Amino acid sequence: IGTEIYADNDFFDTFTFDFVAGDPKTALIEKNTAVITASFAKTLFGKENAIGKVLSEKLTITGVVKDVPNFHIPFKMIKSFVTLADRPDYIANGGIITWKNRSSSATYLLLNPTHDVSKLEEKIANTIWTHLPEAEKDDGEEPIIFYLRPLKDIYFNSHEIGDTGFTKHGDRKKLIAYSSIACITLLLACINFINLNNAKYFERIKEVGIKKVCGASRLDVFVQFLGEVLLLCLISLILAVIFSHSLLPFFNELVDTTLSIDQLFYPIPFIAMFIGLAIISLISGGFPAIYISSFQPVLAIKGLTNNIG
């Protein structure tokens, strides 16, 4: 049924999910229970309440969570881990469920930021070695070494985890390539805009001279020209967001991503957009505005652009 994973109830203590329905404290405690995403619930049950519904696998829906498109573990359904106890290839012993051919479960830990990670890695390795069957120790098997990897490193730097099917990963080289293309395209657009803007400014030199004769200060002229560019860039940004919203579904399908227009309005991208808007406006409008606002009124009216006051 789509992408599914098994997890115990601590999953919702480790990762933050918004529950649309159900109780995160008890959702995965019982056997044959499952939590599904809101989009999957809509696919299965439409507008009906999914809580208490039983699927063909005799799974009872005990929770519905909001979709998290950027979560590194893709899933539509989370089944309770204790459900595995009924499968023939698993062994339940004292509340601990293990796979007969060794466990392949991903384990996540919440650590205090001040905790010594290296000591914990050593402690985990020693514990595993202590409980390892003597037969395997006698076979000369080397002591197991564990490395704890920060969650932020998983997407780009943990491709070996992908072999178990737990996580999705990104390609840093592709990201750099796409970003470089975008930056070069933006740079070329800015250069063209600056050239066109400068050419337009010099057509308005006499306008500047008349404004100054009528009492406008150099600051007034500067603010006018910079404001025009800023307004134009703002309109361009709004149109870019509109076009991005329209074309994003096709882009996601083309490059197999789950980008959402809502991500542009997260704090960091939103602030970055307006910082970029300010920088481009200052570069393309600020410097030409400083230059053209410095002309003396009489010389500007006569068109003598080679004299600056």
Side-chain angles (χ1 to χ4, degrees):
I1 311 175
T3 307
E4 58 187 40
I5 59 174
Y6 287 87
D8 58 26
N9 212 62
D10 291 335
F11 184 82
F12 300 115
D13 292 329
T14 306
F15 302 106
T16 303
F17 286 91
D18 293 327
F19 267 71
V20 177
D23 185 357
K25 296 180 180 179
T26 60
L28 296 177
I29 291 179
E30 302 294 334
K31 286 184 180 180
N32 299 316
T33 56
V35 174
I36 59 178
T37 61
S39 61
F40 195 41
K42 185 177 181 180
T43 301
L44 294 176
F45 310 111
K47 296 182 179 180
E48 295 182 28
N49 184 7
I51 299 299
K53 299 286 186 181
V54 180
L55 302 179
S56 56
E57 301 177 9
K58 296 183 179 179
L59 288 171
T60 302
I61 305 301
T62 55
V64 178
V65 296
K66 289 184 179 179
D67 291 71
V68 183
N70 292 324
F71 192 52
H72 74 286
I73 308 175
F75 71 90
K76 293 181 180 179
M77 175 186 296
I78 309 174
K79 298 178 181 180
S80 59
F81 196 77
V82 292
T83 304
L84 291 173
D86 295 334
R87 287 177 47 170
D89 51 341
Y90 280 81
I91 303 172
N93 183 14
I96 300 175
I97 302 172
T98 57
W99 190 32
K100 287 183 179 180
N101 297 320
R102 292 194 177 186
S103 174
S104 60
S105 301
T107 303
Y108 295 84
L109 306 175
L110 284 176
L111 301 183
N112 189 309
T114 60
H115 198 95
D116 191 331
V117 176
S118 59
K119 288 185 178 180
L120 180 59
E121 290 173 340
E122 183 180 349
K123 186 176 181 180
I124 292 173
N126 291 336
T127 302
I128 296 296
W129 181 255
T130 301
H131 291 82
L132 198 68
E134 291 297 329
E136 296 188 27
K137 292 181 182 179
D138 295 338
D139 288 341
E141 186 168 325
E142 294 293 328
I144 300 173
I145 300 176
F146 282 86
Y147 297 101
L148 296 178
R149 190 183 300 275
L151 187 63
K152 293 181 179 179
D153 287 354
I154 290 179
Y155 188 72
F156 282 120
N157 302 321
S158 300
H159 292 276
E160 69 277 6
I161 300 178
D163 296 335
T164 61
F166 290 126
T167 61
K168 60 181 179 181
H169 301 283
D171 190 329
R172 191 182 296 274
K173 293 181 180 179
K174 287 184 179 180
L175 178 63
I176 293 173
Y178 293 151
S179 300
S180 300
I181 293 172
C183 289
I184 293 172
T185 304
L186 180 61
L187 179 61
L188 291 175
C190 288
I191 293 173
N192 289 333
F193 178 73
I194 291 171
N195 290 335
L196 292 172
N197 202 36
N198 287 346
K200 190 68 177 177
Y201 275 179
F202 284 111
E203 293 178 3
R204 301 172 62 184
I205 290 177
K206 290 186 178 181
E207 174 191 338
V208 174
I210 294 173
K211 286 180 179 293
K212 284 194 170 184
V213 169
C214 293
S217 66
R218 181 175 178 177
L219 179 61
D220 294 331
V221 176
F222 172 79
V223 171
Q224 176 196 342
F225 280 87
L226 180 61
E228 290 176 359
V229 174
L230 182 61
L231 180 60
L232 185 60
C233 289
L234 181 60
I235 294 173
S236 300
L237 177 61
I238 294 172
L239 291 176
V241 172
I242 293 173
F243 281 118
S244 297
H245 181 268
S246 302
L247 299 176
L248 197 55
F250 304 100
F251 179 81
N252 284 335
E253 185 177 351
L254 178 65
V255 298
D256 191 26
T257 60
T258 55
L259 296 176
S260 170
I261 197 67
D262 295 337
Q263 293 173 285
L264 287 176
F265 300 99
Y266 291 169
I268 293 179
F270 188 75
I271 293 172
M273 277 197 305
F274 279 92
I275 290 176
L277 175 68
I279 292 175
I280 294 173
S281 299
L282 286 172
I283 293 175
S284 58
F287 294 120
I290 292 174
Y291 179 72
I292 201 170
S293 64
S294 64
F295 283 105
Q296 294 180 358
V298 176
L299 295 179
I301 293 174
K302 289 182 179 181
L304 301 178
T305 60
N306 58 339
N307 292 298
I308 301 176

